[in-house]
């Protein structure tokens, strides 16, 4: 059989409130053209993020009832710790309330002003946390990652020559190297096992620890199985274990590949760093056995981490994301290729060729998509990464993308058919998509709260 079905059936449903185009035009104008400022109930299909938006399984909900809410030493913590250790394999497991709390704690514990943190491409909160520590976040993706048409199977890879050059010059300023798998900001692209293995060798040569941002480690493991010679007969769990074996530690937002609505973790081998992080954890997150989470969350995450490595799930997950990409590609819609694991990325600049960078083509496309069909997507481009230079001119990122992030186990194929049809229609009338300009742009993480007006 060619058809890959959703490996679950639906037991509880959440109604979607239908809206009209006129209503949506009004809502997005009221939100000053920022989809983050919309009410979720005014959205038909919410592809803003795959983070914390997944559906939990019957087993996870049963786990929620098993949650031990003791302040210290809860049974749920030990279950969580065992589940994380069985995949990640590091010595210390420290729960946090979400990925950026892990980033904040690690940075506060070990990053000094003037340090440099190289990565393949840091996610926006990671970059912001590094910069908030007065350190520099340096992205070293392979050159193929910058070409949206290049079909390199592991576009998430880090440029190891550039890493070596950087470490040669300033390894004393590098507390750790951080590889993000899959590379979210670079299009949900995987990192190969060979790249991780070699990165570890480079880091070891300079005595610098290698960390993994493991938010989507299971999707990455499945891409390795599909694309990297020698891994076809291995289970996703075995592949994931090998990935982590090349690392000294990992940060994870468990709102992605652990099917959590909330949760994160820091996993690492260094006793000294673990000690520092735990001290900070108590200050801002909570005691070391719950780290800002409830016992019920720890249970759900422990189970989610097992479920996400089931091969039937990963086959469906990667195939159903690619389904959206293939159908849009057939309609001629400009996309980032190959298709990512958790999301399809539209190429805002090529979709809205009539709009110059100053008119924020990707963001304008995300607004048009909401007006046209009630679909909420997230720009990862000019608004998120554009920089205003001291002379008043703008520096724009290499790609101006619009991400259609697909929540895990939430939408069916007909929802995705609707998305494909809507984007196809919009592409036919793309010339009519109006440009935008900033009314307000905060300096840090501008996309969350920026406000815009239509260009007259
Ligand atoms: N690292 C990566 C690779 C991420 O994608 C995210 C979040 C984080 C860290 C931070 O984790 O949200 O739990 O604090 N990404 C979400 C997204 C928000 O939509 O891609 P968090």
């Amino acid at each position: 059989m060619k058809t890959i079905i959703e490996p679950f059936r639906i037991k509880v449903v959440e109604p979607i409130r239908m809206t009209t185009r006129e209503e949506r035009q009004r809502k997005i104008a009221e939100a000053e053209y920022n989809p983050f400022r919309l009410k979720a109930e005014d959205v038909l299909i919410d592809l803003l993020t795959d983070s914390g938006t997944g559906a939990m399984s019957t087993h996870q909900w049963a786990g929620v009832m098993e949650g031990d809410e003791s302040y210290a030493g809860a049974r749920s913590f030990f279950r969580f710790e065992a589940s994380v250790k069985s995949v990640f394999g590091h010595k210390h497991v420290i729960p946090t309330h979400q990925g950026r709390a892990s980033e904040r704690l690690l940075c506060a514990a070990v990053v000094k002003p003037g340090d440099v943190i190289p990565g393949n491409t840091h996610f926006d909160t990671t970059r912001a946390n590094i910069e908030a520590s007065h350190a520099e976040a340096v992205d070293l993706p392979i050159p193929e990652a910058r070409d949206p048409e290049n079909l390199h199977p592991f576009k998430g890879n880090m440029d190891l020559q550039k890493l070596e050059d950087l470490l040669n010059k300033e390894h004393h300023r590098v507390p750790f190297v951080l590889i993000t798998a899959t590379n979210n900001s670079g299009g949900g692209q995987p990192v190969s096992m060979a790249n991780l293995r070699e990165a570890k060798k480079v880091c070891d040569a300079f005595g610098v620890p290698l960390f993994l941002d493991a938010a989507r480690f299971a999707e990455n493991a499945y891409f390795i199985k599909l694309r990297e010679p020698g891994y076809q007969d291995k289970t996703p769990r075995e592949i994931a274990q090998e990935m982590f074996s090349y690392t000294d530690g990992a940060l994870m937002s468990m709102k992605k590949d652990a099917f959590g609505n909330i949760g994160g973790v820091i996993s690492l081998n260094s006793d000294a760093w673990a000690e520092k992080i735990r001290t900070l954890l108590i200050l801002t997150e909570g005691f070391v056995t719950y780290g800002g989470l409830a016992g019920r969350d720890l249970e759900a995450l422990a189970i989610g981490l097992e479920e996400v490595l089931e091969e039937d799930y990963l086959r469906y997950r990667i195939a159903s994301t690619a389904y959206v990409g293939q159908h849009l590609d057939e309609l001629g819609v400009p996309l980032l290729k190959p298709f990512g694991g958790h999301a399809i990325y539209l190429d805002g600049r090529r979709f809205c060729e009539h709009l110059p960078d100053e008119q924020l083509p990707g963001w304008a496309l995300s607004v048009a998509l909401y007006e046209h069909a009630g679909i909420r997507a997230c720009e990862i481009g000019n608004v998120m990464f554009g920089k205003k230079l001291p002379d008043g001119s703008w520096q724009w990122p290499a790609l101006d993308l619009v991400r259609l992030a697909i929540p895990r186990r939430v939408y069916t194929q007909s929802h995705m058919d609707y998305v494909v049809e809507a984007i196809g229609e919009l592409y036919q009338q793309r010339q009519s998509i109006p440009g935008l300009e900033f009314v307000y742009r905060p300096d840090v993480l501008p996309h969350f709260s920026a406000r815009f007006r239509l260009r007259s």
Side-chain angles (χ1 to χ4, degrees):
M1 290 288 293
K2 280 212 310 280
T3 306
I4 295 173
I5 61 168
E6 285 91 354
F8 50 81
R9 44 189 191 171
I10 295 166
K11 198 171 209 165
V12 178
V13 297
E14 182 175 8
I16 294 175
R17 190 179 74 81
M18 296 298 164
T19 52
T20 62
R21 187 188 177 92
E22 290 66 39
E23 198 180 349
R24 294 192 294 265
Q25 275 170 333
R26 205 174 60 245
K27 297 283 181 191
I28 193 74
E30 283 165 13
E32 293 185 82
Y33 300 98
N34 186 339
F36 278 96
R37 295 161 58 93
L38 289 168
K39 285 188 181 156
E41 64 182 11
D42 297 328
V43 175
L44 292 185
I45 301 206
D46 205 344
L47 308 183
L48 190 64
T49 179
D50 64 320
S51 180
T53 52
M56 293 217 294
S57 68
T58 46
H59 297 299
Q60 284 182 291
W61 282 111
V64 165
M65 289 305 296
E66 296 274 346
D68 174 354
E69 305 302 342
S70 306
Y71 190 91
R75 185 179 60 240
S76 303
F77 168 73
F78 293 105
R79 182 152 190 209
F80 173 84
E81 185 188 40
S83 182
V84 173
K85 268 195 182 168
S86 76
V87 186
F88 292 37
H90 306 118
K91 189 168 167 196
H92 301 279
V93 173
I94 303 171
T96 64
H97 82 273
Q98 63 183 75
R100 68 199 71 184
S102 303
E103 293 160 3
R104 177 82 199 106
L105 289 162
L106 181 66
C107 286
V110 309
V111 175
K112 295 188 299 296
D115 279 356
V116 179
I117 320 289
N120 47 349
T121 311
H122 294 293
F123 182 66
D124 58 353
T125 59
T126 322
R127 169 172 288 277
N129 270 304
I130 292 169
E131 289 172 357
S133 307
H134 306 286
E136 193 187 341
V138 177
D139 293 337
L140 303 174
I142 54 170
E144 289 87 342
R146 296 193 197 282
D147 173 6
E149 290 288 337
N150 190 304
L151 294 179
H152 190 291
F154 291 103
K155 269 169 129 174
N157 283 353
M158 189 170 194
D159 189 326
L160 297 178
Q161 188 56 53
K162 288 209 177 116
L163 176 64
E164 200 170 335
D165 294 347
L166 187 149
L167 289 177
N168 249 323
K169 269 195 255 147
E170 33 202 354
H171 61 91
H172 51 282
R173 291 207 289 144
V174 180
F176 59 89
V177 171
L178 183 67
I179 294 187
T180 302
T182 58
N183 183 354
N184 184 13
S185 309
Q189 304 291 324
V191 179
S192 72
M193 194 71 88
N195 194 251
L196 284 171
R197 197 183 298 124
E198 293 305 311
K200 174 65 173 157
K201 281 189 198 152
V202 175
C203 288
D204 278 352
F206 293 93
V208 171
L210 176 62
F211 271 63
L212 197 66
D213 178 335
R216 299 176 182 86
F217 77 95
E219 290 169 8
N220 199 96
Y222 198 70
F223 276 123
I224 288 176
K225 184 177 169 88
L226 291 177
R227 297 179 184 173
E228 193 160 349
Y231 290 92
Q232 282 63 24
D233 297 326
K234 295 210 187 306
T235 64
R237 174 176 287 269
E238 288 166 341
I239 298 172
Q241 285 165 334
E242 186 180 338
M243 286 166 54
F244 285 108
S245 77
Y246 301 124
T247 67
D248 301 283
L251 309 175
M252 181 176 179
S253 166
M254 301 185 88
K255 301 168 75 172
K256 285 86 170 174
D257 274 354
F259 296 123
N261 298 127
I262 195 71
V265 73
I266 304 175
S267 162
L268 76 175
N269 286 330
S270 162
D271 295 337
W273 285 18
E275 178 68 25
K276 279 191 188 169
I277 292 168
R278 287 195 174 111
T279 305
L280 292 166
L281 186 85
I282 293 175
L283 219 57
T284 59
E285 291 275 301
F287 188 62
V288 298
T289 58
Y290 74 87
L293 294 170
R296 63 180 79 108
D297 300 323
L298 293 167
E299 289 283 342
L301 295 169
I303 298 165
L305 209 51
E306 286 162 18
E307 290 180 351
V308 80
L309 287 166
E310 283 170 11
E311 194 145 348
D312 286 342
Y313 163 73
L314 285 168
R315 185 183 304 114
Y316 140 79
R317 171 70 173 164
I318 300 302
S320 59
T321 304
Y323 174 92
V324 177
Q326 275 149 12
H327 284 82
L328 288 173
D329 193 33
E330 280 161 23
L331 297 173
V333 174
L335 302 169
L336 186 73
K337 290 182 198 156
F339 307 130
H342 66 297
I344 294 298
Y345 294 68
L346 307 177
D347 185 334
R349 282 188 194 130
R350 283 193 293 150
F351 199 112
C352 297
E353 263 170 347
H354 61 293
L355 298 179
D357 273 318
E358 289 68 26
Q359 296 192 26
L360 313 169
W363 197 277
L365 170 57
S366 73
V367 168
L369 197 55
Y370 174 72
E371 285 187 352
H372 187 69
I375 298 163
R376 179 157 68 166
C378 181
E379 186 246 45
I380 302 205
N382 286 8
V383 173
M384 200 181 268
F385 298 122
K387 261 202 199 119
K388 195 157 196 177
L389 302 176
D391 68 2
S393 67
W394 284 92
Q395 185 187 327
W396 303 114
L399 296 173
D400 185 34
L401 302 173
V402 176
R403 184 183 70 169
L404 311 169
I406 305 179
R408 294 171 181 76
R409 308 191 290 207
V410 169
Y411 292 113
T412 63
Q413 188 168 332
S414 67
H415 290 118
M416 291 303 128
D417 288 338
Y418 173 89
V419 169
V420 168
E421 186 182 340
I423 295 172
E425 281 178 6
L426 198 56
Y427 190 58
Q428 289 306 314
Q429 55 197 67
R430 56 193 182 276
Q431 296 290 339
S432 65
I433 296 175
L436 292 168
E437 63 189 12
F438 286 109
V439 172
Y440 165 69
R441 181 184 183 278
D443 285 337
V444 180
L445 301 175
H447 51 291
F448 288 132
S449 46
R451 301 193 298 268
F452 305 85
R453 66 177 149 245
L454 295 176
R455 292 274 302 201
S456 42

